[in-house]
Amino acid sequence: MRRAGELLYNLRAAPTAAAARHALSALEDDLTPSQLADLLPELDRLSGLARLAWEPSDIIRELREADPQPYVRRDLAADAALFSTPSPAPRDKSLIVALCGRSYRLMVPWSLFLQFLPASRFDVVILADRSNNDYFTGVGDYATDLWSLVKRTLSDVGASRYRRLYCYGASVGGLAALRFGVLAGAHRSISVGGTLTWPIYRLQSGQSLPAYEPICACSSEHRGHVVCVHASDARHDRAAAMHVQQILKVSRIPINGIKRHNIVYMIYRAGGLPVFNAELFDFDPALVNVRMRRADGSLGSPAAGAADAPS
């Protein structure tokens, strides 16, 4: 992970608007909410392209109105990071393993994702597959395939010490999170806007494909809860969720009134992210100390969606 000073310098020295936006994205993903909060005075002193880049930032706006979640980052490897706090002990918390999509985000910046999860209840691992192989070839040099990724991640963070394991993935990371969760025996595996990918490109490039697909009928008795969330009017996302529902016991949750693939950000903009996350990860939304904007009533909640669309 690059240091905060280096990331701030890159933003300050950005020669173009695009470079400034890129530098801001690195700040939002590489730094924790607490680190970003510490930089607020420095950001306020910026001008020109750097200021234009950060002024629309959602996480910076949130940190002006609420205390930052006190996560500390520890890199397990490039593109594999643990965000945790020394207390409470793992036995009193749950572990979330989150798998990014092809934007290498969770539909929102890493820091914004963390800000809406109470550090008193969770430690969080975030993984990004920059080879864009849907995690079938693991994550960089950290693991060479999905099964190795599951084993190494759980071992490195001592997952057995936690109360529960949640697996969460956005976009292309969605179905990968379901696979990870089935292999890991997760309490709940969650796909948000999960999409089906076409493996012909890997075959064309000479890559091997795994012999075992965890999303299969042989996993239908998986004891964990499998959830697929999608925008009701996003055709490809809906088709992917319905496909998984034919194979596994799934709670499929269509979010009404949203057409875009990036439903997490749309829910955030409508003010519904605290309740959305609380329903998925089983915590009191009051624990995320954020300004509660009025939510769009058409969004609903995962619990309501699950009741409306049982598996």
Side-chain angles (χ1 to χ4, degrees), residues 62-304:
E62 293 291 341
L63 293 173
R64 293 191 187 280
E65 301 174 355
D67 294 333
Q69 293 294 333
Y71 289 103
V72 176
R73 175 170 177 156
R74 176 169 70 89
D75 285 344
L76 306 175
D79 301 316
L82 170 67
F83 298 87
S84 62
T85 55
S87 61
R91 65 177 178 272
D92 297 319
K93 293 187 285 189
S94 293
L95 178 68
I96 297 172
V97 177
L99 285 73
C100 296
R102 289 190 179 173
S103 66
Y104 316 125
R105 287 185 159 187
L106 297 157
M107 294 189 172
V108 292
W110 292 20
S111 54
L112 188 62
F113 179 72
L114 293 169
Q115 181 64 9
F116 283 83
L117 294 171
S120 61
R121 295 292 184 269
F122 301 100
D123 289 345
V124 183
V125 174
I126 299 182
L127 303 172
D129 175 15
R130 296 188 188 273
S131 69
N132 293 327
N133 280 325
D134 309 326
Y135 296 87
F136 283 120
T137 54
V139 169
D141 296 329
Y142 185 61
T144 57
D145 55 51
L146 179 61
W147 177 232
S148 298
L149 180 63
V150 171
K151 291 192 297 181
R152 183 162 186 186
T153 302
L154 299 186
S155 174
D156 283 357
V157 302
S160 62
R161 300 175 299 158
Y162 290 88
R163 292 178 61 250
R164 288 177 174 175
L165 171 64
Y166 295 85
C167 294
Y168 175 98
S171 189
V172 170
L175 299 194
L178 301 188
R179 296 183 181 102
F180 193 115
V182 168
L183 293 173
H187 170 73
R188 182 171 298 140
S189 305
I190 305 154
S191 168
V192 181
T195 55
L196 295 168
T197 57
W198 184 232
I200 189 65
Y201 301 110
R202 292 197 291 274
L203 292 173
Q204 289 176 331
S205 64
Q207 297 179 34
S208 61
L209 293 176
Y212 172 57
E213 165 59 83
I215 301 176
C216 67
C218 57
S219 300
S220 61
E221 298 304 317
H222 169 62
R223 288 180 292 178
H225 184 200
V226 178
V227 178
C228 289
V229 185
H230 64 89
S232 61
D233 298 326
R235 181 167 56 91
H236 294 294
D237 299 359
R238 182 176 66 248
M242 294 177 70
H243 175 74
V244 175
Q245 192 177 31
Q246 293 175 346
I247 302 170
L248 301 176
K249 294 179 180 178
V250 171
S251 294
R252 183 172 65 86
I253 304 168
I255 304 296
N256 296 325
I258 297 180
K259 296 181 179 179
R260 296 185 182 181
H261 171 62
N262 189 346
I263 56 175
V264 178
Y265 186 67
M266 299 301 294
I267 291 172
Y268 163 74
R269 292 295 295 171
L273 193 54
V275 173
F276 180 75
N277 280 353
E279 292 284 351
L280 291 178
F281 299 116
D282 304 311
F283 67 88
D284 181 350
L287 291 173
V288 284
N289 182 25
V290 297
R291 173 174 54 89
M292 298 291 287
R293 291 180 301 278
R294 183 179 179 183
D296 181 347
S298 66
L299 287 173
S301 71

